Amino acid sequence: MSSSTAEQLRSAMVTVVGDGTGSNARIPGAEVGGKTGTAQHGENNSRTPYAWFTSYARSSDTGKQVAVAVVIEDSGAERSEVSGNGLAAPVAQRMMEAALR
């Protein structure tokens, strides 16, 4: 991947967390980028979807970096409540925050 393409991807992922659908992954003092999603589940999408969040964080203070991917399967949540930001991003946020300490 070219450096300009990598920068475009980084910028898009940071925007997802800063201003978009991944806001539950924000960490004060760190650059956090991510991508939220849901995945159909079951024949004809008959079961509760999976929620996912793929992310990275870099501490502004220490320079430590971490990448995390979270998939929530069979959450028990109502279909309308399943989202990458609602279910998976908070888990990723806690994992990244702990890794950056």
Side-chain angles (χ1 to χ4, degrees):
M1 168 183 308
S2 71
S3 60
S4 65
T5 299
E7 176 54 28
Q8 288 176 342
L9 180 59
R10 185 204 64 78
S11 177
M13 291 178 75
V14 168
T15 299
V16 165
V17 174
D19 300 319
T21 59
S23 61
N24 284 333
R26 292 180 186 144
I27 299 172
E31 176 182 282
V32 181
K35 177 66 179 102
T36 61
T38 56
Q40 295 181 355
H41 179 215
E43 187 174 328
N44 297 318
N45 195 26
S46 59
R47 301 195 54 201
T48 303
Y50 296 158
W52 58 267
F53 187 70
T54 302
S55 57
Y56 77 89
R58 178 177 36 221
S59 170
S60 302
D61 297 331
T62 65
K64 286 184 179 180
Q65 300 177 65
V66 63
V68 172
V70 174
V71 177
I72 307 291
E73 299 178 353
D74 303 319
S75 66
E78 293 295 321
R79 177 179 286 276
S80 62
E81 299 298 317
V82 175
S83 73
N85 190 47
L87 297 179
V91 174
Q93 187 267 353
R94 289 189 298 272
M95 294 171 65
M96 293 186 295
E97 198 167 44
L100 294 178
R101 281 192 215 127

